[in-house]
Amino acid sequence: DGALNAGRLTEQELVAAAEQLQGPGRLRRLRVVRAADHGADSPLESALRALLIEAGITGFRTQVLVPVGFYGAHVDLGDPDRKIALEADGFEHHGATRAQFERDARRHDEITRHGWTLLRFTWPQVMFQPTWVVAVIQDVLAQAA
């Protein structure tokens, strides 16, 4: 995701490079490369999206614009049909200052106010509690259905 986002490689170049690799894990690497998305904005967001892919959860796209206020709010992953948004929140960008904390709280409330369910996952949750993260998302999707 990061290579595509930074413009270092095209999707075709990334797939071609992965197809040349042999050995254990080749099929998994190809699956991951074919699912790469240039819209992913961070490695944590990519890891969260990978959990969705591995769990067979569909409908989420990267950097979805939620119609909130005049400009709207981009969420890391969003399912516009079910109005569910997922955020992959690293501490350095979301808890570093009181002002940032206040902006994030207001943003969360505004997204919820406009009929969306917003789930926020931290780095330790995504990396060390993936089963729990997937279960939360699946439960919320079931409630939305």
Side-chain angles (χ1 to χ4, degrees):
D1 289 349
L4 293 178
N5 183 285
R8 291 191 302 261
L9 293 170
T10 66
E11 290 179 35
Q12 295 81 9
E13 291 169 331
L14 188 61
V15 170
E19 286 176 342
Q20 292 177 8
L21 297 174
Q22 300 298 317
R26 183 177 189 274
L27 293 179
R28 185 164 195 250
R29 279 193 302 273
L30 286 171
R31 187 172 72 243
V32 169
V33 163
R34 289 184 178 125
D37 186 325
H38 70 279
D41 203 27
S42 75
L44 181 58
E45 180 182 325
S46 296
L48 178 57
R49 196 169 65 81
L51 293 181
L52 297 177
I53 292 168
E54 288 291 320
I57 298 172
T58 61
F60 287 92
R61 298 190 326 256
T62 57
Q63 300 303 313
V64 170
L65 180 65
V66 176
V68 173
F70 185 72
Y71 294 106
H74 282 93
V75 294
D76 293 338
L77 297 162
D79 181 333
D81 294 333
R82 294 180 278 199
K83 290 189 170 184
I84 297 172
L86 308 176
E87 291 280 272
D89 289 345
F91 182 76
E92 64 277 358
H93 296 291
H94 296 279
T97 67
R98 182 168 185 81
Q100 184 62 50
F101 177 73
E102 293 291 333
R103 278 192 299 274
D104 282 354
R106 178 178 289 269
R107 181 176 176 276
H108 186 146
D109 293 343
E110 285 296 326
I111 290 170
T112 302
R113 178 185 192 188
H114 285 82
W116 283 66
T117 298
L118 175 61
L119 301 174
R120 298 174 68 185
F121 298 103
T122 65
W123 185 87
Q125 292 168 338
V126 171
M127 302 309 292
F128 303 117
Q129 301 172 23
T131 303
W132 176 80
V133 169
V134 168
V136 169
I137 296 167
Q138 288 172 327
D139 288 349
V140 170
L141 289 170
Q143 291 170 15

